[in-house]
């Protein structure tokens, strides 16, 4: 059974930084895509950053140069470093993952929608952590 537990959200002034962490409990999958999606009240869900099992990262244009996604395979954690935060970054942030649905399946990297769309290909997600950025 897959469990994704986020932590690290909070309130910060514009220009500040936050680090989000996701503790991952799952089988030892050899292929996957993991990432962060966010949703603000009244807005569409938005893919923010993603990383696949080969360490290839991708970012939404709105966060490029400010956010950094990383994974620690030993500690089974996914991290999102967020710098130069803006009020428009305020949202509920969810850790999400695409894991193979069956042992014979392979996840071939992160889909484009993981950072250019709403990331609906993710088949697992956590409960979310709130990020609020004030002026």
């Amino acid at each position: 059974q897959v469990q994704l537990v986020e932590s690290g959200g909070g309130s910060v002034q514009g220009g500040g930084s936050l680090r989000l962490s996701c503790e991952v409990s799952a089988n030892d999958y050899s292929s996957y895509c993991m990432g962060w999606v966010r949703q603000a009240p009244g807005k569409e869900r938005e893919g923010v950053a993603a990383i696949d099992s080969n360490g290839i990262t991708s970012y939404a244009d709105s966060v490029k140069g400010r956010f950094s996604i990383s994974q620690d395979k030993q500690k089974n954690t996914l991290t999102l470093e967020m710098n130069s935060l803006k009020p428009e970054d305020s949202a509920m942030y969810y850790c999400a993952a695409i894991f193979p649905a069956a042992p014979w399946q392979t996840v071939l990297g992160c889909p484009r929608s993981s950072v250019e769309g709403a990331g609906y290909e993710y088949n697992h997600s956590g409960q979310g952590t709130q990020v609020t950025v004030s002026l």
Side-chain angles (χ1 to χ4, degrees):
Q1 186 168 349
V2 175
Q3 279 193 319
L4 305 174
V5 180
E6 304 94 339
S7 62
S11 297
V12 65
Q13 281 193 324
S17 300
L18 281 174
R19 175 188 291 179
L20 304 185
S21 294
C22 175
E23 184 177 336
V24 181
S25 298
N27 291 333
D28 189 17
Y29 295 103
S30 60
S31 68
Y32 55 81
C33 168
M34 295 204 66
W36 295 88
V37 296
R38 67 186 181 187
Q39 188 163 24
K43 292 190 176 181
E44 293 285 322
R45 180 169 126 157
E46 175 188 22
V48 175
I51 186 167
D52 68 17
S53 45
N54 292 314
I56 297 173
T57 59
S58 51
Y59 298 91
D61 287 343
S62 59
V63 306
K64 276 182 185 174
R66 302 188 297 121
F67 289 15
S68 178
I69 189 171
S70 61
Q71 60 183 337
D72 186 329
K73 294 184 178 182
Q74 296 298 320
K75 295 181 180 179
N76 291 331
T77 57
L78 182 73
T79 299
L80 184 68
E81 297 273 3
M82 305 187 295
N83 299 309
S84 302
L85 283 162
K86 305 175 182 180
E88 51 263 43
D89 294 318
S90 298
M92 186 70 81
Y93 282 71
Y94 300 89
C95 175
I98 304 173
F99 290 127
W104 58 85
Q105 292 183 342
T106 299
V107 176
L108 299 176
C110 290
R112 195 173 285 224
S113 67
S114 61
V115 293
E116 293 182 8
Y120 285 121
E121 285 84 354
Y122 288 116
N123 53 12
H124 301 278
S125 65
Q127 294 300 307
T129 185
Q130 179 68 40
V131 171
T132 303
V133 184
S134 58
L135 287 168

